[in-house]
């Protein structure tokens, strides 16, 4: 039995959900799976879920505050103070690490490394898979590869590193330059590198002459898993026609305003829009809730509850990105339900569109049209979709690269 260790850090994030999907598939294929992750509020030091053995590390202070805010149920003035402290600490730490970005906390990287090498030595790990949105996992895995060269080192980029987004204070050119510099440090010793197909043009442009380019395999977000969950959920009230968005809303990347303003102009009183998650535009969303009692906002829920809510909703909503190489993972979970989808777009090469266009029941809302025009089209689409559900088994082959099996097949393939 092969033993694999994944370094995931934020297991409740979108990338954590992706990592969980591939870990569960690896368990099904007979792997012994270990995972090192951030300790969440109320977590133990170690635990086991679905035959995956988790070991927790102490996260950065900013993350500990965030986890407390999400999981403790704190509210009122205490919550506002903690949010203020969180934001100040986050911005201060970023400013202090301008010249070392994306490395923000060397001590945090070291904690990951120490725990990971302990697991590798004690459990005789065969494969180590660092998940990227944080560079710390890559740094730790590369150090382990240097010390234990017999371990197969497979970085897994669910987000593009040099081709992705950086802090808003940095220009895109600066972010690319820094990312490429770090990739050239961290990737030459990798046995295989798995990236998303949306990042392929970027790496063909900037990295085609590197020593490691031939070892890059382009897959896709591994969340097309047909979901026929019949679990009841109180989140979705069948007395309404339910629109549902689940996820994070960084408003400078995906702007919810064009859809929300159009939704407010729809005339059907049975419509309800539920937004679950966090945003960087809380004031705007709070004002939308106050102006239309058909709109409500809920905090994050656990992944199983999210899947149940997606399955029970009438229309699933995706706010489009303005970055062409940043595909939101939620759209594959959306399509896995078979439910109709509304996705918005503001740029012609919006990354969700090339997937959604393969799906039978969707409406792509052009954010540049007037709120009034989009309101009419939203209402017409919703009424035409009542009771419809796509046969996900018939389109699964189309989305093979978006399945967890594609990841495991890639790991097992020697080419």
């Amino acid at each position: 039995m092969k033993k694999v260790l994944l370094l995931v850090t934020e297991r409740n994030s979108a990338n954590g959900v992706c990592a969980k999907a591939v870990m569960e598939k690896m368990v099904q294929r007979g792997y012994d799976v270990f995972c090192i992750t951030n300790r969440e509020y109320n977590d133990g030091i170690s635990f086991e879920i679905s035959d995956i053995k988790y070991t927790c590390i102490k996260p950065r202070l900013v993350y500990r505050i965030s986890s407390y805010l999400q999981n403790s149920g704190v509210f009122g003035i205490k919550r506002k103070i903690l949010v203020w402290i969180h934001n100040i600490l986050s911005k201060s730490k970023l400013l202090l690490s301008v010249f070392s970005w994306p490395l923000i906390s060397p001590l945090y990287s070291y904690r990951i490394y120490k725990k990971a090498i302990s697991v590798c030595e004690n459990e005789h790990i065969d494969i180590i898979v660092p998940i990227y949105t944080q560079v710390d996992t890559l740094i730790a895995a590369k150090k382990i590869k240097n010390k234990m060269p017999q371990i197969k080192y497979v970085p897994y980029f669910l987000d593009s590193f040099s081709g992705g987004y950086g802090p808003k204070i940095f220009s895109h050119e600066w972010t690319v330059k820094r990312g490429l510099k770090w990739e050239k440090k961290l990737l030459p010793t990798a046995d295989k590198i798995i990236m998303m197909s949306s990042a392929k043009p970027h790496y063909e442009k900037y990295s085609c002459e590197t020593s490691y380019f031939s070892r890059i395999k382009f897959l896709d977000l591994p969340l097309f898993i047909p979901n026929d969950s019949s679990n009841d959920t109180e989140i979705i009230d069948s007395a309404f026609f339910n629109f549902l968005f689940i996820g994070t809303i960084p408003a400078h990347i995906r702007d919810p305003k064009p859809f929300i303003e159009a939704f407010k102009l729809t005339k059907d009183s049975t419509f309800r829009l539920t937004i679950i998650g966090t945003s960087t535009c809380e004031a705007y969303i709070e004002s939308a809730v106050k102006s239309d009692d058909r709109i409500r906002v809920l905090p994050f829920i656990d992944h199983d509850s999210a899947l149940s809510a997606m399955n029970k909703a009438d229309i699933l909503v995706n706010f489009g990105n303005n970055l062409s190489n940043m595909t939101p993972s939620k759209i594959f979970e959306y399509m896995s339900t078979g439910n109709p989808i509304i996705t918005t777009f503001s740029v012609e090469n919006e990354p969700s569109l090339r997937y959604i266009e393969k799906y039978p029941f969707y409406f792509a809302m052009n954010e540049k049209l007037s709120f009034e025009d989009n309101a009419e089209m939203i209402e017409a689409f919703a009424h035409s979709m009542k009771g419809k559900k796509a046969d996900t088994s018939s389109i699964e082959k189309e989305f093979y690269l978006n399945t967890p099996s594609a990841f495991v097949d890639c790991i097992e393939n020697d080419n």
Side-chain angles (χ1 to χ4, degrees), residues 194-210:
I194 300 178
M195 294 184 174
M196 302 298 98
S197 59
S198 59
K200 189 173 183 179
H202 170 82
Y203 286 97
E204 287 178 334
K205 178 179 179 180
Y206 289 102
S207 304
C208 62
E209 296 183 0
T210 61

Side-chain angles (χ1 to χ4, degrees), residues 310-366:
M310 288 182 210
N311 200 60
K312 297 295 183 183
D314 297 289
I315 300 282
L316 297 168
V317 179
N318 175 58
F319 304 136
N321 288 350
N322 56 30
L323 296 178
S324 61
N325 56 0
M326 185 180 173
T327 306
S329 59
K330 77 172 71 61
I331 64 167
F332 304 106
E333 290 190 300
Y334 280 6
M335 291 188 288
S336 297
T337 69
N339 288 335
I341 298 170
I342 293 177
T343 188
T344 71
F345 69 97
S346 61
V347 293
E348 290 185 7
N349 55 348
E350 199 286 321
S352 301
L353 289 179
R354 66 191 185 96
Y355 300 101
I356 293 289
E357 287 170 350
K358 301 175 185 178
Y359 188 71
F361 301 137
Y362 79 94
F363 165 52
M365 191 197 94
N366 187 342

Side-chain angles (χ1 to χ4, degrees), residues 255 258-259 319-320 344-346 365-371 374:
D255 185 1
F259 178 82
F319 304 136
T344 71
F345 69 97
S346 61
M365 191 197 94
N366 187 342
E367 296 180 9
K368 295 179 181 178
L369 298 181
S370 69
F371 298 146
N374 277 328

